[in-house]
Structures are given as structure tokens and as C-alpha cells.
Amino acid sequence: MHRAYGPPLIQLAPMEGVLDWVLRGLLSEIGGVDRMVTEFVRVTDKLLPDHVFYKYAPELRESGGCTSSGVPVFVQLLGGQPGPMAENAARVVELGAPGVDLNFGCPAKTVNRHDGGAALLREPRRLYDVTRAVRAAVPLGVPVTAKVRLGFDHKNFHREIAAAVDEAGASHIVVHARTKTEMYTPPAHWSFIRSMREGRRLPFLANGEIWSVDDYHRCVSESGVSRVALGRGLVARPTLAREIRAVCNDSSVSLAFSDFDPIKFLREFHRRSVTFRGPHYGLVRLKQILRYWSRNQELYGRWFLMVRVIEKSEKVDEFFAFIEKEFAACQLKFKSTLGPTALTVSVPSNY
């Protein structure tokens, strides 16, 4: 039997090109997440114009730095120069950001070549310099947080990385439990987080390879922390945060994955994406999210096979009409015994 923990803090981890404000808004409506973080805003050597911050965080303009459901959205900055990072952090807080997150974990080669993201992990002192400068530029009541990995191409500095962020005054640290060179290849080395925490005062959040409630329990056991940042796992399973809360004795939430209405979610996700950036964007995003969902359910895998060959946005309505009809029929037939995991549909030849 799994140990019952108190209600955890759950953060939505940023994912470049995936977790835009549309998806953040929908996930916040499902509930279970305490805090969200934007895709990274690239900082070079100057103060960015306000429209850049509004592009990545429409919540600043629309709802006071929170989602429409009231979940705070921290703005994530990525850069290697303390001065410009501090200047931009101060500005985004003036625009209403409830917190600033610093990206020291992005493994993208282009980002790293331009002195950003995980590149700074080679020299932990640089994490201190950037974090300290931002902390000094932002009012004390506004959290400054950091996202890191265990190192760049080795884990020898993992404790120094934690020390640099802690001693610079960060409010908390999110640790993606892999190095830059390990990218997203399993497993996540959660046990290193336990080592990083020794002698540290700031809260730690564990991140990486948390796809299910069982993964969450293993992560807590190995890392020693119950606070987590969910990224791909929550995109693939939108109810995961609520499921984790349910097993952690948080009586304020209860929603099983079998109660999730995928058609309603997909329709609204597509509608909002089209409104945000047009029909082509809406179709691309629909394909993207169903690719993630296909990891969990055979039914969603079939839907992904159908939607991935659609080239014209006009076909989307036909796609929705088909899956809605089939899903309703399957629910009626299997609702009382098998549940959604057993549902299958036949894919028509014109897809």
C-alpha cells in the first residue's frame, strides 16, 4: 500500500513549444496545480519590449498574471548575463508577474551555444551571479525560483548547483533529475535530489519521468521530497495532478482519469488554439497533444493516427464528428464494466 502524504505542492513545468497559455488555461481548469511557468523568454543584452512578455504570458494582460482559474503563472527568463536578466525580471514584475523563474536547465543546442539554459551548469558560480542579481532587482515579496539539471555532461557538481541557487536567495529550486547530455532519456536520477538537499534551506521540487501516481510515489521515495513539477506527464494525462492529490489525502479534489471528458477537452483546446493563432496552429496543436495522449490509451493512439494525416483545417470538424460518435457508442457499451482503457474504434479508410 502506498504511503499517504499531505497535500503536495504541484507546479506545471514549462515546455517550450507545448505549454502555451491555451494549454495552461485548460489544465488549470481541470485543477490540482498550484503554480504554472511560461515557456522561456530569451534575454540577451538589453531590456525587452513589453510586447515580448505579453506574447509568452498573455495572462499578464488578461488576468493579472494568473490563469482564468486563478492559478499564478511565473514568467521564465533564460540568459547568462546577470545585469540584463535582473533588468528584465524587474520589468516583468512591474507588468504583474507573480513570480520569476530562471531557466538553467534547457538542453537545446542552440540555446546552449548562445550561453543560456544548461550551459551555465558548467560553472555553478554563474548560477549564483544570475540568481543573486535577479533576487536583488525584484521586490522581496515576489518569488524568484530556478530550474536546473544535475549537471551539463556529468553530475559531479550537483551539490554545488544547489548551493549556488540556495545561497543566492532563491525561493525554491526545481531539479530535472538528469544532466543536459542525458536530455530526456529514462531514467530520471531522483536520488541525486536527496543529496542536493543536504544542508540546504530552500524547498526542492522534483521533476522528470513522473507519468503516473506510481511514478510519483517512487520519486518521493528516492528524492525525499513530495513537491513536484509535472511537464510531459501532465500533458499526456491531464488529470495527473488531481490523481496525485487524491492519494495524498487532499479531500478538496477528486477526479479519476476515467471521468475525464476527452472530446470536450480536445474541442475546447482546438477552438482556443485557433482563436489564439489561427486554423493551422489549431491543427498542429491538436496533432501534438494527441501524440502525447497516445502514450496512455490505445483509443487516443487511434485518434492520433487519424488526425496526423489531416492536412487541411477544414477536415477537423469531420474528425471531431467521427470520434465523438464512436466515443459515445463505446461509452454506452462499456461504461459499467471496462472503462475508457478498453475502448477501441475502427479507423475509416479516408483517414
Side-chain angles (χ1 to χ4, degrees):
M1 181 179 295
H2 289 308
R3 175 185 173 187
Y5 309 100
L9 185 148
I10 300 177
Q11 176 172 300
L12 178 67
M15 294 174 63
E16 179 69 11
V18 178
L19 282 165
D20 64 358
W21 87 296
V22 170
L23 189 48
R24 290 197 298 268
L26 279 169
L27 291 175
S28 73
E29 290 171 18
I30 290 176
V33 177
D34 299 286
R35 178 188 303 130
M36 297 186 169
V37 182
T38 69
E39 301 166 273
F40 69 76
V41 179
R42 183 73 168 97
V43 174
T44 53
D45 59 354
K46 59 186 177 182
L47 177 64
L48 296 168
D50 292 352
H51 71 81
V52 174
F53 298 120
Y54 289 133
K55 173 185 175 182
Y56 287 93
E59 294 94 344
L60 294 174
R61 193 194 299 271
E62 301 289 335
S63 47
C66 298
T67 68
S68 58
S69 299
V71 178
V73 180
F74 287 18
V75 175
Q76 187 180 78
L77 304 181
L78 180 150
Q81 298 184 44
M85 287 286 282
E87 185 180 20
N88 281 275
R91 181 54 187 159
V92 80
V93 170
E94 290 175 356
L95 294 177
V100 177
D101 187 64
L102 306 176
N103 184 323
F104 300 127
C106 179
K109 291 181 179 179
T110 301
V111 169
N112 295 165
R113 280 199 305 268
H114 291 85
D115 196 36
L120 277 71
L121 299 174
R122 294 188 179 106
E123 302 176 69
R125 174 69 194 195
R126 298 192 62 202
L127 275 63
Y128 174 90
D129 292 340
V130 171
T131 305
R132 187 67 174 173
V134 171
R135 179 68 277 174
V138 170
L140 288 178
V142 178
V144 173
T145 62
K147 171 74 177 293
V148 304
R149 285 176 174 253
L150 299 178
F152 190 82
D153 53 8
H154 59 73
K155 302 179 182 68
N156 298 343
F157 296 156
H158 71 281
R159 287 181 55 80
E160 287 82 356
I161 288 168
V165 173
D166 184 14
E167 293 167 11
S171 303
H172 78 233
I173 181 172
V174 176
V175 182
H176 185 138
R178 285 180 274 234
T179 64
K180 180 272 179 191
T181 54
E182 288 171 338
M183 297 291 286
Y184 300 97
T185 304
H189 307 284
W190 298 316
S191 62
F192 279 83
I193 299 175
R194 185 180 293 274
S195 173
M196 295 172 82
R197 292 175 56 233
E198 294 177 1
R200 299 291 117 214
R201 62 158 188 85
L202 82 171
F204 279 70
L205 279 70
N207 173 240
E209 292 303 309
I210 303 174
W211 298 94
S212 66
V213 171
D214 285 342
D215 291 337
Y216 171 76
H217 285 294
R218 285 192 292 271
C219 176
V220 173
S221 177
E222 293 184 26
S223 68
V225 300
S226 60
R227 302 179 179 213
V228 293
L230 305 177
R232 294 177 299 161
L234 192 60
V235 175
R237 192 176 183 92
T239 59
L240 180 57
R242 295 188 69 124
E243 293 176 66
I244 290 173
R245 288 192 177 282
V247 301
C248 292
N249 290 339
D250 187 345
S251 59
S252 66
V253 298
S254 60
L255 177 66
F257 193 54
S258 59
D259 296 325
F260 178 61
D261 186 338
I263 304 293
K264 181 179 178 181
F265 186 98
L266 290 172
R267 278 191 176 278
E268 187 62 14
F269 176 63
H270 176 258
R271 184 190 70 79
R272 294 187 193 182
S273 295
V274 169
T275 300
F276 186 36
R277 290 185 180 169
H280 177 71
Y281 183 74
L283 176 57
V284 169
R285 295 287 279 152
L286 190 59
K287 294 178 180 182
Q288 185 183 51
I289 198 166
L290 278 170
R291 179 172 61 84
Y292 277 101
W293 284 16
S294 66
R295 175 188 177 97
N296 285 320
Q297 303 254 0
E298 180 185 354
L299 174 62
Y300 301 155
R302 291 176 180 271
W303 291 358
F304 172 63
L305 292 176
M306 294 168 63
V307 77
R308 73 173 182 177
V309 298
I310 296 178
E311 297 181 355
K312 296 182 178 180
S313 58
E314 293 81 4
K315 292 278 286 182
V316 173
D317 286 341
E318 184 180 340
F319 165 75
F320 275 127
F322 173 79
I323 66 171
E324 190 168 45
K325 180 180 178 180
E326 290 296 319
F327 186 67
C330 290
Q331 278 188 309
L332 182 64
K333 182 177 181 180
F334 294 103
K335 182 177 180 181
S336 63
T337 56
L338 300 179
T341 56
L343 302 183
T344 60
V345 297
S346 57
V347 180
S349 59
N350 62 319
Y351 278 93

